[in-house]
Structures are given as structure tokens and as C-alpha cells.
């Protein structure tokens, strides 16, 4: 199990470097990273810099959430968001910021290019909750926390139509 | 009198004006206080704040520390010793919106039905908007659905449309 860095650890604010070698060392690290994600109660995503490894590696698995469209376990290495569409407000928390949650605006649908553990380049179309999780984790690679994107909790910015769309998906 | 630090709830209300928070919190800091969680808002043109204050003294000593600045701003001060805890936030799983033409009894009617369906309110804010001859009541609630979200959705259906709009959104927390 890896240790999760918590704010204000300055490593969380650094920009992570691309992965260059898709080797066994990388794959072993990904096993540890995934175990660390699954050990946190309710955690659906993790980024390598949250454990102090400043490389562009993200794991997301939102399959535990009922009634949403998803792609199961996603290992995303050197991920790049190619397209954004729509925006929706949702509640986020972070293992690196214990005991706080807040509202953050994210793109509703994204197209993503990323490599998997073997180095193969894959393209993913993501939406809703899964797209939110990926955007949150990619922010970690750029040294950003959801705290950097908080909007007021006092104002009701929930978009009813967007939510219904997600629920129907 | 100095004792081990303890939590107090400091309530300050009065006519609003700029820089009240700065003046009060500077006086508390100078008096050796540490602030915890706080909620400040304007209600009907009044300044209101409730502040968790950690202080190594008794209630009277904290009142003496904070009274001069409040008096100079024309504000009323109230201090209670409390059992305070930080780092214990329960997560809201529903957000409920209520709005309609203002009339007496909306809050009681809505919250009674929701409480019976298992709602534990964590945050509630309401406003009267519109105009004097056509006031609109708007309320936003966040809370925990102790009997499940479906029970609250049924309760919302009972309430919705009888002169008020009541809408419920589940809050799907994304923990990354």
C-alpha cells in the first residue's frame, strides 16, 4: 500500500512528467496504486502524484456506482483530453483533502487519448460521473486540486436537465 | 482566568455594514482566540454570524474579550460554551429546492413531511425574493436521507405542486 499525500504537501502542486518506459516496474507500481485507490472507502480514482510519484498515471473505476455509463477499470497513462462538451456541476472530495467536499464544474462529455499499461494508445469517450472522475485525476497531474476549482456551495447551480440525462444513461 | 482551551459558540447579530467580520475576528485573534467553523450571512439586512471560537478561559472572559468591538459596531453578542468537534463532517446525499409564492407555513409543512421520510438536515438556507406585493419564498436544503433517497423522493411527490415546487437531486459525491 502506498501512502496518500495530503494538502498542503507541496508535491501535490507540481506538474507530473510523462511516462516513457512501459516496463514491469511501471506495471508493479500500477498494482500498488490501484490497491491504494481501492483501500480508500468510496474512492473511484487515484493519480500517481497523490502517492508522491510525479508521473502522468491515473486509475479510474466508477463501476461501483449504480445506473451510470462507464468503462470499468481504466488505467490512463499520459492522458490527454482531446474534446470537451457541455458542463455540469457536481460534488467532489479527494483522498488528499480529507473531511471536505465541494462543488466543481466539469465538462459533461470528454474524448480522451491515453496509453494503457502496455503502452498502447487508446481513445475513450466518457460522460457524466466517469468523465468527472477522470478530469479530477488529470488535474492532479497538472498540480491542481479540486480546491482550485471550488464554486459556492451556497448557490444552487445544479442543472436538473443534465442530471436527468445522466440518470437515464 | 486561563484554563485549557475550550470551544465556544459566538453569535453576533445587528445592522450590517462593511468590515464587520474583519473587525471582530481581529479582536478575537488579538485576544488569543482560535477560530473553527463559521457561518456568516445577511438576513433581512442584518449581519449575522455564528463562529466556533477556541479560547483558554471561561465564558465571561471571552465575553469581555469580544464585547468592546461588538459594542463599537452596534452589534449584539452572545457567547455559549459548547461541545465542539472538528473533522467530523457528515456527507449530504440529497439537495432539495423549494420555491413558490410566499405564505406562512411552507417551512413547517415541507420539513415535517421530509423529516417523517428520514431527512436529516445538514444545511438550510432560505430567502424571500420577488416584490412586496408578490413575494417568492426560496429554500435550499442539503441533508442525509436516513431512510434512503427513494423515501424522500416519495415525500417530495406528496409536497410538489400544491402551490409550491419541491425538487430533489441526489448528490453523487465523486471521491478521487
Amino acid at each position: 500500500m502506498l501512502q496518500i499525500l495530503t494538502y498542503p504537501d507541496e508535491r501535490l502542486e507540481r506538474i507530473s512528467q510523462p511516462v516513457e518506459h512501459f516496463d514491469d516496474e511501471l506495471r508493479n507500481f500500477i498494482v500498488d496504486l490501484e490497491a491504494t485507490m481501492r483501500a480508500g472507502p468510496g474512492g473511484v480514482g487515484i493519480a500517481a502524484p497523490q502517492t508522491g510519484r510525479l508521473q502522468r498515471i491515473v486509475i479510474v473505476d466508477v463501476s461501483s456506482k449504480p445506473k451510470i455509463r462507464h468503462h470499468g477499470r481504466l488505467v490512463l497513462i499520459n492522458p490527454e483530453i482531446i474534446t470537451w462538451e457541455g458542463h455540469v456541476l457536481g460534488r467532489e472530495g479527494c483522498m488528499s483533502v480529507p473531511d471536505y467536499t465541494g462543488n466543481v464544474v466539469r465538462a459533461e462529455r470528454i474524448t480522451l487519448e491515453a496509453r494503457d499499461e502496455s503502452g498502447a494508445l487508446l481513445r475513450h469517450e466518457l460522460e457524466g460521473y466517469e468523465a468527472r472522475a477522470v478530469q479530477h485525476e488529470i488535474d492532479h497531474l497538472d498540480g491542481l486540486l479540486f480546491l482550485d476549482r471550488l464554486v459556492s456551495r451556497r448557490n444552487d447551480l445544479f442543472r436538473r436537465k443534465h442530471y436527468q440525462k445522466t440518470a437515464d444513461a | 482566568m486561563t484554563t485549557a482551551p475550550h470551544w465556544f459558540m459566538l453569535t453576533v447579530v445587528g445592522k450590517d455594514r462593511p468590515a464587520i467580520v474583519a473587525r471582530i475576528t481581529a479582536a478575537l485573534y488579538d485576544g488569543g482566540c482560535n477560530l473553527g467553523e463559521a457561518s456568516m450571512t445577511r438576513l433581512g439586512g442584518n449581519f449575522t454570524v455564528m463562529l466556533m471560537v477556541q479560547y483558554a478561559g471561561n465564558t465571561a472572559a471571552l465575553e469581555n474579550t469580544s464585547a468592546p468591538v461588538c459594542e463599537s459596531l452596534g452589534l449584539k453578542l452572545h457567547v455559549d460554551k459548547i461541545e465542539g468537534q472538528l473533522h467530523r463532517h457528515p456527507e449530504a446525499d440529497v439537495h432539495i429546492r423549494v420555491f413558490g409564492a410566499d405564505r406562512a407555513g411552507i417551512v413547517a409543512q415541507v420539513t415535517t413531511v421530509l423529516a417523517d421520510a428520514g431527512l436529516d438536515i445538514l444545511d438550510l438556507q432560505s430567502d424571500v425574493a420577488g416584490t412586496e406585493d408578490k413575494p417568492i419564498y426560496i429554500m435550499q436544503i442539503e441533508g442525509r436521507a436516513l431512510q434512503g433517497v427513494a423515501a424522500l423522493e416519495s415525500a417530495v411527490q406528496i409536497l410538489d405542486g400544491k402551490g409550491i415546487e419541491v425538487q430533489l437531486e441526489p448528490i453523487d459525491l465523486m471521491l478521487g
Side-chain angles (χ1 to χ4, degrees):
Chain A
M1 199 75 69
L2 306 169
Q3 194 190 337
I4 297 276
L5 305 182
T6 55
Y7 183 84
D9 192 301
E10 60 90 24
R11 285 169 287 180
L12 292 168
E13 295 176 28
R14 290 210 238 151
I15 293 176
S16 291
Q17 298 303 307
V19 171
E20 292 178 1
H21 304 290
F22 294 80
D23 53 15
D24 286 343
E25 193 280 329
L26 174 72
R27 286 180 281 274
N28 288 337
F29 170 72
I30 287 168
V31 169
D32 290 344
L33 189 65
E34 183 172 353
T36 306
M37 175 186 87
R38 296 195 188 281
V44 297
I46 194 167
Q50 287 182 279
T51 67
R53 179 157 165 155
L54 296 176
Q55 277 192 305
R56 303 186 80 80
I57 307 165
V58 158
I59 304 175
V60 166
D61 185 350
V62 301
S63 58
S64 61
K65 296 284 165 186
K67 293 188 284 186
I68 59 166
R69 188 172 292 172
H70 64 80
H71 295 76
R73 171 185 176 276
L74 286 173
V75 174
L76 306 170
I77 300 172
N78 302 342
E80 297 280 351
I81 297 174
I82 308 298
T83 65
W84 288 262
E85 194 188 331
H87 63 274
V88 64
L89 194 84
R91 187 70 47 89
E92 297 185 18
C94 183
M95 288 186 283
S96 297
V97 187
D99 194 47
Y100 192 80
T101 63
N103 288 338
V104 179
V105 178
R106 301 286 187 187
E108 197 173 5
R109 278 174 294 278
I110 56 172
T111 309
L112 185 74
E113 279 187 356
R115 296 188 183 273
D116 67 11
E117 296 117 302
S118 67
L121 187 64
L122 299 172
R123 182 177 280 234
H124 306 277
E125 311 264 338
L126 308 176
E127 65 177 43
Y129 191 89
E130 187 177 45
R132 170 173 301 277
V134 166
Q135 290 170 80
H136 175 112
E137 301 309 336
I138 289 178
D139 268 353
H140 279 300
L141 307 182
D142 294 323
L144 293 172
L145 298 171
F146 79 104
L147 300 178
D148 292 296
R149 298 193 188 274
L150 283 179
V151 297
S152 174
R153 264 179 99 136
R154 293 224 154 187
N155 295 310
D156 176 18
L157 297 172
F158 284 85
R159 303 291 182 92
R160 195 180 195 197
K161 281 175 187 166
H162 288 200
Y163 257 84
Q164 285 182 336
K165 236 185 244 171
T166 307
D168 291 344
Chain B
M1 190 186 93
T2 299
T3 58
H6 194 90
W7 285 109
F8 296 84
M9 190 68 77
L10 205 116
T11 308
V12 182
V13 299
K15 187 172 182 298
D16 196 21
R17 54 182 275 182
I20 292 176
V21 175
R23 295 275 304 276
I24 292 173
T25 54
L28 292 171
Y29 177 70
D30 292 343
C33 297
N34 175 43
L35 303 186
E37 296 170 3
S39 171
M40 182 240 126
T41 195
R42 234 176 101 98
L43 298 175
N46 292 279
F47 171 88
T48 73
V49 70
M50 298 191 82
L51 267 173
M52 277 178 77
V53 175
Q54 200 175 34
Y55 181 67
N58 60 21
T59 306
L62 180 54
E63 279 170 350
N64 288 337
T65 299
S66 40
V69 66
C70 292
E71 280 165 18
S72 75
L73 293 163
L75 302 169
K76 282 185 183 158
L77 166 73
H78 184 82
V79 178
D80 288 302
K81 195 171 183 181
I82 58 163
E83 290 304 317
Q85 284 184 324
L86 298 178
H87 317 297
R88 301 276 195 287
H89 288 113
E91 275 308 319
D93 46 25
V94 289
H95 181 104
I96 296 163
R97 280 187 293 271
V98 179
F99 56 93
D102 192 27
R103 60 172 168 78
I106 292 178
V107 182
Q109 181 194 0
V110 170
T111 57
T112 299
V113 171
L114 293 173
D116 289 346
L119 179 67
D120 176 24
I121 295 178
L122 298 173
D123 190 82
L124 184 153
Q125 295 174 46
S126 70
D127 269 297
V128 180
T131 57
E132 284 191 17
D133 58 331
K134 283 180 72 179
I136 308 164
Y137 191 79
I138 303 160
M139 176 162 65
Q140 297 190 64
I141 300 173
E142 286 199 355
R144 290 190 293 176
L146 300 180
Q147 298 169 23
V149 175
L152 288 178
E153 281 170 342
S154 302
V156 162
Q157 281 181 1
I158 293 167
L159 291 164
D160 189 33
K162 296 183 177 64
I164 44 170
E165 310 269 343
V166 184
Q167 302 167 354
L168 178 146
E169 305 278 5
I171 299 174
D172 289 324
L173 175 66
M174 198 295 293
L175 191 59

